[in-house]
Amino acid sequence: MKAKIIFRAGAAAVLGALVMALALAKEPTDRTGKKSSLQKTTGDPVYAVLNINNLTTWARYDGHSNHSPGGDDGLIYPRGTGSVIYQDCVAWGGKVFTNAAKTAVAPRQPIRVGGGSYGIGTRAGAVTGSGPTAVAESQSDATVRIFRIRRDYYSMSEADLTRDAAVVNEIAEGAVTASLRAAVLSAYADAWTNWPATTKGAPYIERNGTPGYQAPPAFSATFTVDSLIDQNQDEPGVSGSDPNSPADQVIWTVYNDLLVDEAITFVGSESMGLEVQKTVWGYKRTDALGNLYFSRYKLINKGGVDTDTTTGDQLGSFWIDSMYICQWSDPDLGNAGDDVLGCDTTLSLGYIYNGNAVDAEYAGFKLAPPSVGYDFLGGPLVPAPGDSAVFDLKRRQNFKNLGMSTFAYFSAGSPYSDPPGDYLNGSGRWWKMLRGFAPLGTFATADQPYASGTFPVSKFPLSGDPVAGTGFLDGKGTSSSFPPGDRRLLVITGPFSMAPGDTQEIYIGVVAGLGSDRLTSVAVMKFNDRFVQNTFSALFQVPRAPAAPDVKVAELDGEIILDANAPAGTNRR
């Protein structure tokens, strides 16, 4: 006789926890076989992984992300199961001028596209100086690396440490040795001690009232993670408006596009003179906040580019106009051949879900296929009297953050295929997508909108509601809605301008959801995305994690009764 489980008052949280618990039960190449750019430096590490919650996501020190050191898919969800993202990266484009009036166009290429996708046009390291004196850091500098910290590393449980070492080394937990565990702890301690807040601008949490970053004492038996707050110590990482609400794990790196030979390897465009500071963070949670992570990209127009139309040896900065920035992604949700895309204009969200009821990879874990999305929480600042925007994790008055301005996509084997690597075709098609047009033709051909069938032409194709089965949906097998397949998505924001020395930021939330089938996974992902939105709007003032419920189990004839009630008090994070 099968036992029946009855949940009494307060047990909803237990059910969620049980479901969550069950869910947790070399140089890379691109899709054509071309090696991704990787300029090796003496700095170490080159890769870092965020694995504090129910996702596992990789980042590389030069801007390349969600692809592992071993060349595997980079975003795993739920942790320890299937993969949802093969690779992603941030790209940008704009018109470049050599004067403030924006009447003198840049030499050779008046429109340029940078960043990357499979191959990238950036390299690791910060930029010192500005304008004609801007110089990229030497690749032989040992500080040219990626940094990863975790607040509780000194007090991690043996199980957490083993799991962390397994992910870092891309091996099974059973293969983790004592030396590998020790190496993980050593790496955390090194990053905590050498966090480049003062030298390179990595984010930190200000608590002691003294301007600038003062590193806290080393952890010990008497100085614990709680001491950071109790003693008002500055600390490396991210908190937002509440210094006592820090992220639990943070990755930081800085890279640039100053090397022309590197820049043109993406899609043929020369340098724009940008430094990019990338921060990725997450929270150790089992609620909705445990199914997402945040990224911030800070772009600084440093210069150090060729501004001479004749001799080609004059360095300076560009005035960039009509600039766009996008989150590009090659999502492979389990089996890569049955994916479909969508966008939600009310949420500034582009997302992936499964085109078939069953995905072979996730079926092996006895799971429905999940859904994952990229939410443009806050784009670049533009003037907006009476409004307010988020910048540097603070409110700035009389500005607003741009949201998603267009959604673009391409699909392997379709009329909208991966752009080639040359300037006329590659940069040309990227420039079209950044402004909301289909990736067809070149700089020299007219813009064409995405095919929309019976729906109005829009810069937001595939914006229907798959859960309700209404509107412009992907996967229908038509000329405007291709059969499920291997997709790429671009969530784009713009336009904006950057003068020499200007800084702009974008905030992106990557959010996942797992339901009972492919469509309820979309609904769960969008539900979790509300937490992404709310957390951003609250300037990352994250509420305390709910306390573990007090569960009492009574076994009766044919029944198991769970009586769950949360304890009266909650523990400080």
Side-chain angles (χ1 to χ4, degrees), residues 5-30:
I5 299 178
I6 300 174
F7 292 93
R8 286 184 174 166
V14 178
L15 177 59
L18 289 174
V19 171
M20 181 68 72
L22 291 172
L24 293 178
K26 94 194 154 181
E27 190 172 328
T29 58
D30 68 19

Side-chain angles (χ1 to χ4, degrees), residues 7 58 113 131 139 148 227 253 277 333 344 379 385 417 420 466 498 528 547 554 558 564:
F7 292 93
W58 285 94
V113 174
Q139 297 292 283
R148 181 178 80 135
S227 304
T253 189
Q277 298 180 14
L333 202 161
D344 189 320
S417 58
M498 293 190 77
N528 290 340

Side-chain angles (χ1 to χ4, degrees), residues 512-562:
L514 177 64
S516 59
D517 57 49
R518 71 183 188 101
L519 295 182
T520 56
S521 288
V522 175
V524 172
M525 181 272 294
K526 290 190 177 185
F527 172 82
N528 290 340
D529 187 57
R530 302 292 181 183
F531 285 80
V532 173
Q533 299 274 349
N534 292 339
T535 303
F536 177 74
S537 297
L539 293 178
F540 302 98
Q541 184 173 339
V542 176
R544 295 172 182 171
D550 180 18
V551 181
K552 296 180 175 61
V553 180
E555 185 175 351
L556 304 177
D557 184 18
E559 296 181 347
I560 298 174
I561 298 177
L562 301 183

Side-chain angles (χ1 to χ4, degrees), residues 195-324:
W195 188 252
T198 302
T199 56
K200 299 187 181 184
Y204 74 95
I205 302 167
E206 175 60 54
R207 290 201 188 97
N208 65 13
T210 302
Y213 174 63
Q214 289 79 46
F219 289 122
S220 66
T222 57
F223 188 86
T224 68
V225 67
D226 288 335
S227 304
L228 291 164
I229 295 176
D230 293 342
Q231 298 181 20
N232 292 320
Q233 296 283 347
D234 290 353
E235 95 176 67
V238 172
S239 68
S241 63
D242 181 2
N244 298 334
S245 181
D248 294 302
Q249 192 175 43
V250 183
I251 292 171
W252 187 87
T253 189
V254 57
Y255 55 97
N256 68 85
D257 75 341
L258 265 61
L259 183 65
V260 175
D261 290 346
E262 188 83 14
I264 61 175
T265 62
F266 176 31
V267 284
S269 285
E270 295 185 24
S271 307
M272 294 174 70
L274 300 179
E275 176 184 289
V276 183
Q277 298 180 14
K278 177 181 179 180
T279 310
V280 182
W281 68 95
Y283 299 91
K284 189 179 182 180
R285 306 285 286 248
T286 56
D287 57 4
L289 282 172
N291 296 281
L292 55 93
Y293 66 90
F294 297 94
S295 297
R296 178 181 68 171
Y297 294 84
K298 178 180 288 188
L299 286 75
I300 309 173
N301 187 3
K302 289 287 187 77
V305 289
D306 177 16
T307 61
D308 196 332
T309 59
T310 55
T311 63
D313 59 2
Q314 181 174 322
L315 297 181
S317 298
F318 290 138
W319 281 259
I320 309 172
D321 196 30
S322 303
M323 189 170 180
Y324 297 84

